[in-house]
């Protein structure tokens, strides 16, 4: 049986941009504490906190220099202990972000490894000799450029993300046990789980062969670093030594997640993790080379969206593994701008997308601001804060020969800065996020789109999200029940049935900005119990769904 905790609504907080409490323009832990009542009112059961550990912030916390302390920019250990306690008082658990594939180059382990070649810390990382005056192999980093950072003479160290994020050597049992001890440290404090950063990349091919030897170009070394068999061994060991000893939710994040790998890592009986993220929907408009491969930009279709969504649902159900359902996070565009219509149908499409997250089989995730429909912002190039954006802008031009104007256009659309603008709490100065100018540009639409205004409007995205989540939580079948797609060939409407032995519900979502006609079976024409457009027509066999109309329908008989 799946853990009960899987029916949690998980809310991701990216601390720098959530709420500032000490007037420095940067969100912090005490800011989060001041918003716990709000999160409780939303029905949040679990907060996934993006990293709050000590970090030089090259990649905003995903480069950790001390795993046992709090980043002073965000607060103190006392603040964090209070956060755990005050969240717990409201029935909310804290899930931390374990970045264990790499450390910052400012971490003690790396400093010691650099000071002394004989140090045992040398083998905590992946130092290798260069080949013929070049890098040890042709692997590329995920943020662009070679995956190897030159340390001295002919020696390099592997850095798959930024050059300041140094990959750990998981083959070394000492490294693994250091990480397990860190996990015990935080779990003993009372946190309720981990989201594990790029966890499927912790096992690398031991021989570091070239990828596609002889070929030029963009090479991620995918099969040499992604979801390799070693990862299962490490995760099983971690489960045995740490996870099995605490009650919590253990979630994996990893690039190029396939269904086969998800089944391996979070199958019901595999004793590794509880659930995984997949990135196929996030990458729906990206070419085969990833997020900045623009050849498909704006050219994805609703049938493609439906297919990815339904295939994952059915595969997880059939093969007994568990998934996280989400459309936004700190690395992606805002859902309403990515898949919806953030202008004419802002409200309707934001609600429709949230419906698709909350009523799928699996554990639902919302990202800060998604519950009010926060949108992307057209950042100017000088305003980019994101390491990836700045780096890729240059790489697109130098390695892929993309002209500057086009590189700028692509990065503007895809920069992670879009997700990282401050949460819009009110129409006061700086959106109620801070009393001073925030560290990153604020979206000027905060005057219209903000929590305070939506609190007052019963039909707001915020209040819809509350209602929808209450409905979801009222029936276990919405989390755990059977998922059965209908209208699979319909080009605009996503439809599925959720049911258990006693009851059945129908979910219908028009994913387009046009009215859409659909034909329903007699037995599907039940009573609408949740809807996102006003004055909906009763459900009849042949009908028109309004742009982005979404409904949950209670069926009168079990089907
Ligand atoms: C994950 C994080 C991302 C980070 C990267 C490297 O993908 O979500 O923000 O940059 O890992 O740690
Ligand atoms: Ca602050």
């Amino acid at each position: 049986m799946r853990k009960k905790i899987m029916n949690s609504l998980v809310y991701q907080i990216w601390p720098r941009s959530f709420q500032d409490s000490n007037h420095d323009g940067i969100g912090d832990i005490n800011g989060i504490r001041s918003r716990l009542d709000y999160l409780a009112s939303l029905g949040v059961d679990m907060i996934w906190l993006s990293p709050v550990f000590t970090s030089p912030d090259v990649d905003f916390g995903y480069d950790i220099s001390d795993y046992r302390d709090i980043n002073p920019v965000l607060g103190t250990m006392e603040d964090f202990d209070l956060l755990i306690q005050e969240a717990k008082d409201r029935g909310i658990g804290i899930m931390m972000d374990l970045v264990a594939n790499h450390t910052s180059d400012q971490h003690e382990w790396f400093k010691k490894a650099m000071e002394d070649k004989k140090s045992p810390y040398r083998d905590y990382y992946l130092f290798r000799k260069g080949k013929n005056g070049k890098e040890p192999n042709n692997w590329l980093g995920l943020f662009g450029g070679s995956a190897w950072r030159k340390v001295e003479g002919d020696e390099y160290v592997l850095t798959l993300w930024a050059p300041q994020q140094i990959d750990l050597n998981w083959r070394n049992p000492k490294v693994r046990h250091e990480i397990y001890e860190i996990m015990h440290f935080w779990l003993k404090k009372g946190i309720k789980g981990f989201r594990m950063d790029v966890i499927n990349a912790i096992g690398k091919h031991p021989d570091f062969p070239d990828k596609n030897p002889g070929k030029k170009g963009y090479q991620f070394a995918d099969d040499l670093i992604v979801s390799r068999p070693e990862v299962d061994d490490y995760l099983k060991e971690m489960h045995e030594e740490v996870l099995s000893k605490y009650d919590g939710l253990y979630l994996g994040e990893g690039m190029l997640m396939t269904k086969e790998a998800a089944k391996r890592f979070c199958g019901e009986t595999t004793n590794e993790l509880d659930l995984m993220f997949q990135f196929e929907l996030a990458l729906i408009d990206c070419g085969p080379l990833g997020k900045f491969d623009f050849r498909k930009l704006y050219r994805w279709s609703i049938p493609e969206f439906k297919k990815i969504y339904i295939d994952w649902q059915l595969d997880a159900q059939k093969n007994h593994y568990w998934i996280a359902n989400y459309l936004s996070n700190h690395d992606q565009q805002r859902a309403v701008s990515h898949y919806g219509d953030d202008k004419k149908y802002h409200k309707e499409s934001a609600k429709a997308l949230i419906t698709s997250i909350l009523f799928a089989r699996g554990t639902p995730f919302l990202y800060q601001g998604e519950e009010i429909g926060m949108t992307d912002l057209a950042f100017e190039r000088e305003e980019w804060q994101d390491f990836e954006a700045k780096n890729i802008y240059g790489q697109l031009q130098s390695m892929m020969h993309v002209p500057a104007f086009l590189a700028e256009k692509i990065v503007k659309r895809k920069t992670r800065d879009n997700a990282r603008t401050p949460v819009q709490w009110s129409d006061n100065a700086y959106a109620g996020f801070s009393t001073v100018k925030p560290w990153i540009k604020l979206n000027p639409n905060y005057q219209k789109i903000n929590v305070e205004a939506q609190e007052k409007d019963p039909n707001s995205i915020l209040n819809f999200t509350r209602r929808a989540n209450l409905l979801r939580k009222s029936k276990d079948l919405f989390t755990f029940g059977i998922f059965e797609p209908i209208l699979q060939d319909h080009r605009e409407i996503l439809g599925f049935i959720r049911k258990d032995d006693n009851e059945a519900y129908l979910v219908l979502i028009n994913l387009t900005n046009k009215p859409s006609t659909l034909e329903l079976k007699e037995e599907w024409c039940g009573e609408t119990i949740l809807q996102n457009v006003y004055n909906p027509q009763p459900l009849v066999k042949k009908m028109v769904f309004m742009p982005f109309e979404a409904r949950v329908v209670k069926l009168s008989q079990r089907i």
Side-chain angles (χ1 to χ4, degrees), residues 267-503:
E268 202 156 3
T269 53
T270 46
N271 289 335
E272 295 183 26
L273 302 177
D274 291 325
L275 71 170
M276 283 301 295
F277 284 130
Q278 54 92 359
F279 284 93
E280 284 184 37
L281 279 179
L283 297 175
I284 193 166
D285 51 355
C286 306
L289 300 180
K291 192 160 151 196
F292 296 91
D293 180 348
F294 52 92
R295 290 169 292 179
K296 260 188 88 193
L297 210 55
Y298 308 108
R299 292 222 309 265
W300 61 279
S301 69
I302 301 300
E304 261 177 289
F305 182 106
K306 283 183 58 178
K307 182 165 173 14
I308 297 171
Y309 182 103
I310 291 171
D311 284 356
W312 274 90
Q313 288 286 309
L314 291 178
D315 198 74
Q317 175 164 277
K318 180 162 153 240
N319 290 309
H320 308 284
Y321 62 90
W322 200 246
I323 52 174
N325 297 311
Y326 75 98
L327 290 174
S328 310
N329 64 37
H330 66 295
D331 294 330
Q332 308 297 336
Q333 291 178 256
R334 289 279 176 184
V336 68
S337 304
H338 200 179
Y339 314 99
D341 177 336
D342 61 9
K343 298 195 174 62
K344 187 157 178 210
Y345 296 106
H346 174 249
K347 248 185 177 180
E348 292 81 355
S349 64
K351 293 177 189 176
L353 293 167
I354 286 171
T355 307
S356 79
I357 298 170
L358 293 181
F359 292 95
R361 185 172 174 280
T363 302
F365 282 68
L366 293 180
Y367 177 64
Q368 61 187 34
E370 190 167 3
E371 74 278 19
I372 56 166
M374 279 179 61
T375 66
D376 283 352
L377 173 62
F379 279 89
E380 293 308 322
R381 184 149 60 84
E382 312 72 56
E383 296 163 341
W384 296 341
Q385 300 280 352
D386 173 21
F387 181 93
E388 179 185 55
K390 294 190 231 178
N391 218 41
I392 293 277
Y393 173 68
Q395 297 287 332
L396 280 171
Q397 297 173 70
S398 61
M399 292 187 65
M400 297 180 74
H401 310 292
V402 175
F405 84 92
L406 188 55
E408 182 165 341
K409 197 171 155 196
I410 298 159
V411 177
K412 231 177 173 167
R413 169 90 179 160
K414 286 290 168 194
T415 173
R416 303 188 295 181
D417 293 317
N418 281 312
R420 300 174 178 184
T421 63
V423 170
Q424 297 164 201
W425 295 103
S426 69
D427 63 2
N428 295 338
Y430 308 120
F433 164 75
S434 181
T435 51
V436 300
K437 191 167 183 240
W439 70 279
I440 190 172
K441 193 171 175 187
L442 182 64
N443 195 321
N445 68 15
Y446 77 88
Q447 302 203 329
K448 266 177 54 199
I449 301 173
N450 64 65
V451 171
E452 205 175 277
Q454 295 200 17
E455 287 285 5
K456 292 182 197 137
D457 172 5
N459 289 318
S460 64
I461 303 164
L462 175 60
N463 281 316
F464 174 86
T465 306
R466 286 190 173 123
R467 279 199 299 280
N469 187 54
L470 275 178
L471 173 60
R472 181 188 74 85
K473 280 301 276 287
S474 73
K475 304 266 173 201
D476 266 355
L477 76 83
F478 287 125
T479 307
F480 302 102
I482 293 170
F483 173 93
E484 195 179 283
I486 61 166
L487 305 172
Q488 264 183 280
D489 297 328
H490 200 291
R491 298 193 59 78
E492 287 147 357
I493 292 183
L494 172 68
F496 52 86
I497 289 168
R498 301 300 315 277
K499 64 183 185 185
D500 64 11
D501 289 342
N502 305 310
E503 285 185 290

Side-chain angles (χ1 to χ4, degrees), residues 50-249:
S50 275
V52 293
F53 314 93
T54 314
S55 164
D57 280 332
V58 171
D59 192 22
F60 297 125
Y62 287 89
D63 47 326
I64 298 174
S65 55
D66 184 350
Y67 287 90
R68 285 188 169 79
D69 212 346
I70 300 291
N71 187 343
V73 176
L74 304 177
T76 64
M77 192 62 97
E78 289 73 54
D79 301 338
F80 185 75
D81 288 336
L82 286 168
L83 172 66
I84 298 181
Q85 188 53 47
E86 291 168 2
K88 190 170 167 220
D89 294 343
R90 291 162 176 81
I92 300 175
I94 304 284
M95 185 192 238
M96 289 186 98
D97 209 319
L98 184 76
V99 188
N101 174 72
H102 43 261
T103 73
S104 157
D105 61 357
Q106 301 305 307
H107 195 287
E108 277 302 305
W109 302 337
F110 190 66
K111 286 189 187 161
K112 288 185 183 145
M114 289 293 281
E115 275 160 22
D116 175 7
K117 283 196 177 178
K118 301 245 160 50
S119 153
Y121 291 103
R122 198 77 177 178
D123 194 37
Y124 273 38
Y125 298 94
L126 297 157
F127 288 90
R128 291 292 180 276
K129 289 249 170 287
K131 259 194 205 149
N132 313 323
K134 291 211 299 225
E135 292 85 6
N137 67 26
N138 66 357
W139 298 1
L140 293 183
L142 277 297
F143 291 157
S146 168
W148 296 95
R149 164 169 163 182
K150 193 164 192 153
V151 287
E152 59 171 291
D154 186 24
E155 197 130 33
Y156 295 79
V157 69
L158 186 72
T159 71
L160 282 172
W161 276 267
Q164 297 89 337
Q165 290 167 308
I166 322 287
D167 284 67
L168 283 165
N169 175 17
W170 274 71
R171 229 165 258 285
N172 181 346
K174 283 200 201 124
V175 167
R176 303 203 297 273
H177 286 96
E178 295 265 18
I179 299 293
Y180 304 156
E181 285 309 312
I182 291 164
M183 297 174 78
H184 282 298
F185 173 85
W186 293 102
L187 286 161
K188 279 189 191 136
K189 275 189 177 284
I191 66 159
K192 283 289 169 207
F194 285 107
R195 174 263 190 195
M196 301 183 193
D197 192 62
V198 294
I199 198 70
N200 67 343
I202 57 179
K204 278 91 178 169
H205 193 295
D207 304 332
F208 294 90
D210 267 352
K211 174 75 180 170
N212 299 328
K215 273 196 203 154
K216 273 197 186 160
Y218 210 61
Q219 294 145 19
F220 275 137
D222 40 17
D223 51 325
L224 307 175
I225 57 167
V226 171
S227 301
R228 295 181 48 77
E230 297 91 320
V231 179
D232 291 298
D233 302 336
Y234 304 150
L235 291 176
K236 281 192 175 31
E237 182 183 76
M238 181 193 282
H239 187 274
E240 164 95 24
E241 298 201 10
V242 188
L243 308 186
S244 60
K245 304 198 162 102
Y246 305 84
D247 193 21
L249 193 62

Side-chain angles (χ1 to χ4, degrees), residues 2-43:
R2 287 282 171 195
K3 295 186 197 171
K4 178 73 181 152
I5 201 171
M6 307 278 211
N7 78 353
S8 296
L9 173 63
V10 189
Y11 184 94
Q12 184 191 355
I13 291 183
W14 199 74
R16 280 181 85 84
S17 294
F18 187 68
Q19 174 71 64
D20 178 24
S21 74
N22 64 344
H23 322 289
D24 63 358
I26 301 176
D28 46 52
I29 291 173
N30 287 338
I32 301 171
R33 288 173 55 207
S34 73
R35 295 293 183 182
L36 286 172
D37 284 334
Y38 169 75
L39 297 176
S41 80
L42 197 59

